[in-house]
């Protein structure tokens, strides 16, 4: 059998597309549906993985980020957390929970005209440090708070 | 199709306070059902809020956001009677859009 270059390419290309589809399908069906979802950051298993995925590297500590959250959360399935950034030029705010299986919980883009403050409710598996990461003028800043969890939110 | 969101938008001194409650399981993919099989992940991945065609907030979420997510924020410029539109998309590609009138 004479194999032309074209045949080889076709066969190789077809196989790799199939492999790719299988991999995507197995790992996470629908990953292609939300194309802008930052898979790398959200699936990072450690705080530094998540920071890297967000492009934050090692953020600087800041006292101008205010986190409104309880010191003790009785129900880890519903922990109310508010983050406000007083850093001028804040572009985005992210919330990370260090001891959750995937620390990154949420990331918000804040366009001009929107106040640099968000409130939400998140799940916490256990007592953990919670980080508010803020991007302002291309630089990253972080604030940290420890929240004690009486009842974990993962089996709930 | 998921249930409608509850959205409240209130204007005060030129700032609109938006509160919303979405109806979604926010399944992490880490839980097991009674027979020990893992429950597949099903959670909202992106949320976008627009006012007069302009995005006033966009978010990416992971499964750590609580079931039936709550979100609150403020933006400037909206007037009473304007509409605020919220759209979410989950990891299965389901989408829902609801709107509210600013009070």
């Amino acid at each position: 059998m004479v194999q032309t270059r074209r045949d080889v390419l076709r066969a190789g290309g077809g196989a790799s597309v199939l492999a790719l589809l299988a991999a995507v399908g197995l790992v996470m069906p629908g990953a292609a549906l939300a194309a802008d979802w930052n898979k790398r950051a959200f699936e990072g298993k450690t705080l530094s993985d998540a920071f890297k995925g967000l492009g934050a590297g090692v953020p600087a500590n800041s006292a101008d980020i205010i986190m409104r959250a309880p010191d003790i959360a009785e129900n880890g399935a519903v922990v109310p957390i508010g983050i406000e950034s007083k850093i001028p030029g804040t572009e985005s705010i992210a919330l990370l929970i260090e001891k959750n299986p995937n620390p990154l919980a949420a990331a918000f883009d804040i366009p001009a005209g929107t106040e640099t403050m968000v409130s939400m409710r998140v799940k916490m598996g256990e007592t953990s440090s919670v980080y508010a990461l803020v991007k302002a003028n291309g630089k990253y800043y972080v604030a940290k708070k420890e929240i004690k969890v009486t009842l974990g939110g993962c089996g709930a | 199709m998921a249930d409608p969101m509850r959205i409240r938008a209130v204007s005060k001194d030129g700032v609109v306070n938006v509160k919303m409650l979405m109806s979604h399981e926010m399944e992490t993919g880490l839980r097991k059902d009674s027979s020990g099989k893992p429950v597949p992940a099903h959670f909202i991945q992106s949320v976008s809020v627009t006012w007069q065609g302009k995005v006033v907030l966009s978010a990416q979420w992971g499964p750590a956001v609580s079931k039936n997510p709550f979100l609150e924020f403020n933006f400037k410029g909206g007037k009473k009677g304007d509409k605020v539109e919220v759209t979410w998309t989950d990891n299965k590609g389901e989408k829902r859009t609801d709107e509210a009138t600013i009070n």
Side-chain angles (χ1 to χ4, degrees):
Chain A
M1 191 181 120
V2 182
Q3 252 188 341
T4 64
R5 183 171 167 273
R6 192 169 291 178
D7 285 333
V8 173
L9 278 177
R10 196 182 290 141
S16 65
V17 166
L18 274 180
L20 195 69
L21 283 176
V24 168
L26 284 174
V27 173
M28 175 123 176
L33 295 167
D36 57 348
W37 194 65
N38 191 339
K39 192 170 189 295
R40 190 173 157 227
F42 277 101
E43 293 189 353
K45 297 218 181 297
T46 64
L47 202 60
S48 69
D49 282 354
F51 281 158
K52 271 185 217 142
L54 289 166
V58 182
N61 289 325
S62 172
D64 291 325
I65 304 169
I66 297 152
M67 230 192 299
R68 290 186 191 90
D71 296 327
I72 298 173
E74 292 200 353
N75 182 0
V78 188
V79 184
I81 297 180
I83 299 171
E84 180 178 358
S85 166
K86 292 194 183 296
I87 304 170
T90 295
E91 301 154 37
S92 68
I93 296 177
L95 173 65
L96 301 98
I97 300 155
E98 187 170 16
K99 290 203 180 153
N100 271 6
N102 304 112
L104 181 58
F108 296 88
D109 281 328
I110 314 278
T114 297
E115 293 186 357
T116 51
M117 181 180 78
V118 288
S119 299
M120 57 190 307
R121 294 174 190 154
V122 293
K123 292 174 229 174
M124 289 181 65
E126 56 184 302
T127 297
S128 170
S129 293
V130 175
Y131 292 79
L133 178 75
V134 168
K135 184 185 183 191
N137 298 318
K139 286 193 182 141
Y140 286 90
Y141 303 90
V142 74
K144 175 179 141 178
K145 180 181 167 71
E146 168 104 355
I147 301 180
K148 286 198 164 54
V149 175
T150 330
L151 177 68
C154 282
Chain B
M1 194 69 195
D3 290 333
M5 288 174 241
R6 303 222 307 261
I7 308 165
R8 186 181 294 167
V10 179
S11 166
K12 199 188 168 197
D13 303 329
V15 176
V16 179
N17 172 255
V18 186
K19 286 181 188 164
M20 65 195 87
L21 206 49
M22 303 164 200
S23 173
H24 203 285
E25 276 306 306
M26 298 302 288
E27 194 61 63
T28 59
L30 303 167
R31 267 178 355 120
K32 292 187 170 69
D33 65 15
S34 49
S35 61
K37 273 188 267 172
V39 182
H42 188 201
F43 58 94
I44 294 175
Q45 281 188 318
S46 68
V47 180
S48 148
V49 185
T50 57
W51 160 70
Q52 294 185 338
K54 176 183 178 279
V55 175
V56 289
L57 185 76
S58 66
Q60 292 183 42
W61 285 356
V65 173
S66 297
K67 179 177 173 175
N68 297 332
F70 166 82
L71 177 61
E72 178 181 3
F73 73 103
N74 298 316
F75 73 93
K76 295 186 191 99
K79 287 185 274 305
K80 282 186 206 301
D82 290 354
K83 288 211 169 13
V84 174
E85 199 177 83
V86 183
T87 301
W88 59 250
T89 309
D90 70 20
N91 66 322
K92 293 183 178 171
E94 285 169 36
K95 259 184 179 203
R96 166 137 208 133
T97 301
D98 287 290
E99 60 174 33
T101 306
I102 298 173
N103 282 313

